[in-house]
Amino acid sequence: MDLKNLTKKYSNDDITVVWKPGTCIHSAICFHSLPEVFDPGNKPWITISGADTERIIQQVNNCPSGALSYFRNGEGPEKSVE
Ligand code: SF4
């Protein structure tokens, strides 16, 4: 499997968190700061219901590698400019 291009998605009612395993540098920042959501011991390792949306967004924005990102549901991961 080509990890580089693999993406995993986890959605709640508001947002979808996107994780790119090939980009993750395993800094552990996410699961030290918000273990209710990010727990590598769980399968799947992201429990999107573990915290509210704003808290998850805050944590996603703290990912140093860019492996974590999110988009608002209905807006899509890429906004097309036409
Ligand atoms: S904060 Fe980002 S780079 Fe660090 S373990 Fe979490 S997803 Fe990976």
Side-chain angles (χ1 to χ4, degrees):
M1 195 178 3
D2 184 3
L3 272 183
K4 231 181 4 202
N5 297 318
L6 189 73
T7 59
K8 298 269 194 180
K9 294 191 175 119
Y10 309 86
S11 300
N12 65 13
D13 288 345
D14 305 318
I15 58 166
T16 296
V17 170
V18 182
W19 179 59
K20 295 182 181 161
T23 305
C24 178
I25 56 170
H26 307 286
S27 65
I29 289 173
C30 57
F31 52 88
H32 282 170
S33 303
L34 193 56
E36 299 89 336
V37 174
F38 303 98
D39 183 349
N42 277 345
K43 264 188 189 283
W45 81 285
I46 293 180
T47 305
I48 198 83
S49 59
D52 65 38
T53 297
E54 292 313 312
R55 181 67 186 91
I56 294 171
I57 289 173
Q58 193 184 30
Q59 197 57 52
V60 164
N61 287 338
N62 281 339
C63 173
S65 67
L68 288 173
S69 60
Y70 76 94
F71 58 87
R72 299 264 175 196
N73 295 338
E75 292 180 2
E78 272 114 5
K79 288 195 185 111
S80 55
V81 183
E82 288 180 53

